[in-house]
Amino acid sequence: MGNNEKVAVAEEEKKSVNEVVEVAIETSYVDNDDWATYRDDEVMQQHNAIQAEEAHKLPFVGDKEPLSALAAEYQSGSPIIQEKIKLLGQSFSAIRRTRGDGNCFFRCFMFAYLEHILESQDKAEVDRIKANVEQCKKTLQNLGYAEFTFEDFFALFLEQLESVMQGNETSISHDELLTRSRDQSVSDYVVMFFRFVTSGEVRRRAEFFEPFILGLSNMTVEKFCKASVEPMGEESDHVHITALSDALGVAIRVMYLDRSSCDTGSVSVNHHDFVPSISDSPNGTTNAVAAKPVMTLLYRPGHYDILYSK
Amino acid sequence: MAEEKYNMKNPAVKRILQEVKEMQSNPSDDYMSLPLEENIFEWQFAIAGPPDSEFEGGIYHGRIQLPAEYPFKPPSFMLLTPNGRFETQTKICLSISNYHPEHWQPSWSVRTALVALIAFMPTNPNGALGSLDYKKEERRKLAIKSREAAPTFGSSERQKLMDEIHQYMLTKAPPVPQLGAEQTSDEQATNQETDAVVHPQDGDDIAAGDEEPNPEADDRVVADVREVHVNANAGPLRVSFSAELSVSRRVPATGSSEQVQTQEVRVLQRSDDRLFTWAAVGLTLAIVVLLLKKFLRSSGVDVASIGGFK
């Protein structure tokens, strides 16, 4: 029956609703109960107050502290944690904390990577990552992002990358890198750049990431990116780390500091290396990868900091 | 735009100027928005009432304020034209605007927000702050009135910009469909009745499309139509929706746009054709049965036995 077919087609088309509108409409239903009694400026004010309070405690990126500072935090804490910090002390000398504002992983990655380039002056690595960044830009274009919504963030990251290479007019010192990482107008832009890159990579390889995302949040890939990757302040999980590591071709080591221990009673610090997968590179090149971790992050449930090897 | 007036190093300024450029180079028939020359963080906009709603043909003005942290913080929206859906000069509670700051993301833009705002107009306010729940007839009256002129608001420069935007929208927005509410419902009833008599199944389908009891489905339809306008190349989508959904809703539609009229005519023709076909088939069948009966009776066969055989 012709009419039924028409209806089926219409149904099909209804499904392809503008996602922004969909998110907006859904939340308008859900949030009415919780938020109807607050005005939007009140919500904003509270939001800003919380941020200001956090800012007071710690800059986006803190100073380098000896590992003993970490031990001091757990003086009267779990013996397993104390034991693990001792073990960490065998290979690591220092820690650099980041603010716990939901962007800590990206902030760690930004500082640790730029610091690595500043210290190594590795021109080949800079060229390699630039090519990957270019690829990420194409990914976003292919996914239908309007260029003006992400180009500023890309430009700002590339600018920082140029700056940490010495010998240019725009070159910066280690102190300046730290200052910039604490400056919201640089730091947040770079974090947002990483969020775009991560979102693009997750969506480009939706099939690969889908089972992980389903296990994590029971969301579709699309929704996950809109709700947990692109908005600032959304915490990162292993999906984010895998995607960012793959997209930029940068290996990341994460040390896990939690209260887990073996049955035998012996304590060891678990770690995981996020090594970029090379088989799925969009342009088919297999050499665009640094397999050795260029940074080590310390994970405590809900938060990332940077660790420095001895 | 006086670019030298602003600090081009300020990323928010850079982004906003990009959006202005983009808005000017890809104008839409459904909305227009531009910043004041004296302050690019202050925009004026006008949106066309969504088609197939009581807002159709209306031109609704409003202002947008972009925060200094844009695009990290969302813009806020305020309508200035009385419309019966949102209070005027009150910040609008859309999850895409700053009512729910946590939902905003930097990959959205003024354009995205305006599209969402249009899609929001026909939705049920559910008592949300700043929302109004006027009757359809009231809203329709306001839609007609909204075309007369832009509202009076703010400085002479702002007024000039609003008048310009109004002139632009007048050339784009279709006229308000001229039909009284009673007339519509009468026509609706007759049309459905005819259809139901002729062919119940078809009648059901059309009724289902028209009297969709689920408000969300209705929202989605509108959202779809909006989306089509943004991606102008997806034109056929809109056509098929008009065909399915405005069948009986806007039958007389004396003053409505030609495109929709042709659609209606075609649909009506289709159902007329169907009526004739079924009438013809019915008549033919009746005649055949009568002839057969007569033939059998005249040739002396017991009609009852044939009935039993069946």
Side-chain angles (χ1 to χ4, degrees):
Chain A
M1 190 114 322
N3 224 34
N4 281 343
E5 277 165 33
K6 271 269 158 102
V7 171
V9 171
E11 284 297 325
E12 210 38 52
E13 282 166 352
K14 277 181 200 171
K15 281 177 195 158
S16 62
V17 174
N18 176 352
E19 71 203 23
V20 172
V21 173
E22 193 183 314
V23 168
I25 288 172
E26 266 173 31
T27 47
S28 83
Y29 288 146
V30 173
D31 289 344
N32 268 330
D33 307 334
D34 304 337
W35 295 98
T37 50
Y38 294 99
R39 297 194 55 86
D40 41 2
D41 39 355
E42 287 173 340
V43 174
M44 290 283 273
Q45 254 170 31
Q46 194 187 11
H47 204 75
N48 291 342
I50 294 169
Q51 281 184 344
E53 200 177 307
E54 279 302 306
H56 191 67
K57 286 184 204 153
L58 188 72
F60 288 137
V61 178
D63 290 324
K64 206 168 177 176
E65 299 171 75
L67 211 62
S68 57
L70 184 64
E73 225 178 282
Y74 292 94
Q75 236 166 11
S76 52
S78 143
I80 298 172
I81 298 263
Q82 287 175 354
E83 191 62 34
K84 284 188 179 181
I85 293 173
K86 255 183 226 161
L87 284 171
L88 282 173
Q90 291 172 4
S91 6
F92 299 97
S93 61
I95 180 173
R96 191 188 293 276
R97 299 172 202 268
T98 57
R99 188 186 295 174
D101 62 356
N103 301 311
C104 56
F105 165 70
F106 293 115
R107 211 90 70 177
C108 281
F109 187 93
M110 162 181 62
F111 190 83
Y113 185 77
L114 291 175
E115 189 182 40
H116 166 75
I117 298 296
L118 182 75
E119 283 167 0
S120 67
Q121 292 296 308
D122 187 344
K123 179 85 175 58
E125 168 64 12
V126 171
D127 291 342
R128 188 197 62 74
I129 200 162
K130 272 188 190 163
N132 283 28
V133 169
E134 198 49 46
Q135 204 56 53
C136 295
K137 197 179 264 184
K138 290 208 182 91
T139 301
L140 290 179
Q141 285 165 344
N142 293 340
L143 289 168
Y145 283 76
E147 186 136 1
F148 71 87
T149 62
F150 63 80
E151 61 187 4
D152 295 347
F153 305 96
F154 275 63
L156 213 103
F157 173 73
L158 291 172
E159 207 178 286
Q160 305 317 307
L161 201 58
E162 288 293 327
S163 304
V164 290
M165 288 304 280
Q166 300 303 301
N168 302 317
E169 259 176 53
T170 52
S171 295
I172 57 169
S173 64
H174 191 277
D175 282 351
E176 176 63 16
L177 174 61
L178 194 58
T179 311
R180 286 193 184 182
S181 304
R182 290 172 178 175
D183 173 0
Q184 187 164 16
S185 70
V186 176
S187 209
D188 277 0
Y189 268 73
V190 176
V191 168
M192 198 53 221
F193 160 74
F194 290 137
R195 289 187 178 276
F196 272 115
V197 168
T198 305
S199 184
E201 182 71 8
V202 170
R203 294 170 71 176
R204 184 177 72 80
R205 288 162 60 207
E207 256 172 64
F208 171 79
F209 284 108
E210 194 174 27
F212 298 101
I213 289 169
L214 281 175
L216 204 63
S217 60
N218 204 17
M219 277 190 256
T220 64
V221 170
E222 200 77 359
K223 270 229 173 87
F224 176 79
C225 288
K226 284 285 163 208
S228 301
V229 183
E230 285 185 31
M232 287 293 283
E234 286 296 327
E235 285 178 19
S236 298
D237 221 304
H238 61 269
V239 170
H240 303 72
I241 305 179
T242 307
L244 185 64
S245 165
D246 287 356
L248 295 179
V250 174
I252 305 164
R253 171 166 294 180
V254 178
M255 310 297 297
Y256 293 91
L257 182 57
D258 50 29
R259 286 196 280 179
S260 65
S261 64
C262 298
D263 293 338
T264 57
S266 72
V267 170
S268 62
V269 185
N270 298 321
H271 76 265
H272 182 76
D273 285 351
F274 292 86
V275 180
S277 65
I278 47 173
S279 54
D280 217 3
S281 167
N283 49 3
T285 54
T286 50
N287 55 348
V289 157
K292 195 173 155 286
V294 299
M295 66 184 78
T296 306
L297 306 183
L298 176 70
Y299 178 76
R300 286 176 283 170
H303 187 68
Y304 292 90
D305 292 305
I306 304 168
L307 279 178
Y308 288 92
S309 298
K310 275 189 170 163
Chain B
M1 191 66 25
E3 297 196 3
E4 63 279 6
K5 247 171 69 184
Y6 297 99
N7 177 9
M8 287 304 292
K9 277 253 166 88
N10 179 337
V13 170
K14 227 169 107 191
R15 161 70 177 256
I16 294 169
L17 290 174
Q18 284 288 359
E19 286 201 32
V20 180
K21 221 198 268 168
E22 201 267 346
M23 185 70 82
Q24 285 168 330
S25 51
N26 301 304
S28 163
D29 289 358
D30 300 314
Y31 49 85
M32 178 38 102
S33 186
L34 287 171
L36 303 187
E37 215 161 303
E38 67 209 18
N39 180 4
I40 56 160
F41 289 85
E42 267 281 342
W43 292 45
Q44 277 299 138
F45 72 86
I47 54 173
D52 299 325
S53 77
E54 62 271 30
F55 306 104
E56 176 163 10
I59 299 172
Y60 305 98
H61 288 264
R63 57 189 285 212
I64 304 170
Q65 287 173 295
L66 301 179
E69 299 92 343
Y70 188 78
F72 285 102
K73 298 272 166 69
S76 59
F77 286 80
M78 199 180 274
L79 276 174
L80 299 171
T81 305
N83 54 83
R85 174 63 182 83
F86 297 110
E87 280 177 42
T88 55
Q89 304 203 26
T90 305
K91 280 184 185 171
I92 293 170
C93 309
L94 301 179
S95 52
I96 195 163
S97 112
N98 66 5
Y99 188 63
H100 303 297
E102 66 276 19
H103 293 307
W104 171 263
Q105 38 200 277
S107 61
W108 293 345
S109 61
V110 169
R111 186 183 285 274
T112 328
L114 286 174
V115 171
L117 181 59
I118 297 171
F120 254 77
M121 289 205 67
T123 60
N124 188 343
N126 277 333
L129 259 171
S131 278
L132 298 170
D133 206 354
Y134 282 26
K135 289 206 171 67
K136 284 199 172 190
E137 300 82 72
E138 286 293 316
R139 288 174 169 177
R140 203 167 271 133
K141 274 183 203 154
L142 289 171
I144 295 168
K145 197 164 184 323
S146 73
R147 299 177 65 90
E148 288 171 9
T152 313
F153 185 79
S155 68
S156 61
E157 195 222 330
R158 190 191 285 270
Q159 194 63 51
K160 197 170 143 247
L161 180 62
M162 284 167 76
D163 292 343
E164 274 171 30
I165 292 177
H166 197 78
Q167 284 310 312
Y168 170 83
M169 290 307 291
L170 271 179
T171 64
K172 303 293 178 188
V176 177
Q178 288 170 0
L179 49 135
E182 306 83 357
Q183 205 185 349
T184 330
S185 47
D186 278 2
E187 285 288 341
Q188 229 168 333
T190 2
N191 195 20
Q192 270 162 28
E193 259 169 41
T194 332
D195 259 331
V197 171
V198 174
H199 193 272
Q201 210 185 332
D202 278 7
D204 280 349
D205 283 345
I206 289 168
D210 192 46
E211 302 182 329
E212 184 61 74
N214 179 358
E216 201 188 333
D218 237 326
D219 295 346
R220 277 156 185 266
V221 173
V222 175
D224 254 343
V225 176
R226 304 284 83 216
E227 177 62 349
V228 170
H229 285 255
V230 182
N231 307 321
N233 51 357
L237 202 61
R238 184 190 181 189
V239 174
S240 72
F241 265 105
S242 310
E244 277 309 314
L245 293 172
S246 57
V247 177
S248 42
R249 187 185 286 170
R250 331 185 2 173
V251 175
T254 35
S256 73
S257 76
E258 265 185 26
Q259 188 195 5
V260 179
Q261 267 188 348
T262 11
Q263 283 301 327
E264 279 157 10
V265 171
R266 199 179 300 160
V267 171
L268 281 179
Q269 261 176 1
R270 209 172 60 186
S271 60
D272 281 349
D273 286 349
R274 216 181 292 129
L275 183 134
F276 286 128
T277 314
W278 282 101
V281 169
L283 267 172
T284 318
L285 267 176
I287 290 167
V288 167
V289 167
L290 277 173
L291 280 175
L292 204 68
K293 260 190 184 173
K294 208 170 184 187
F295 171 71
L296 288 176
R297 202 173 293 156
S298 66
S299 54
V301 182
D302 188 4
V303 180
S305 78
I306 291 182
F309 189 69
K310 250 188 242 166

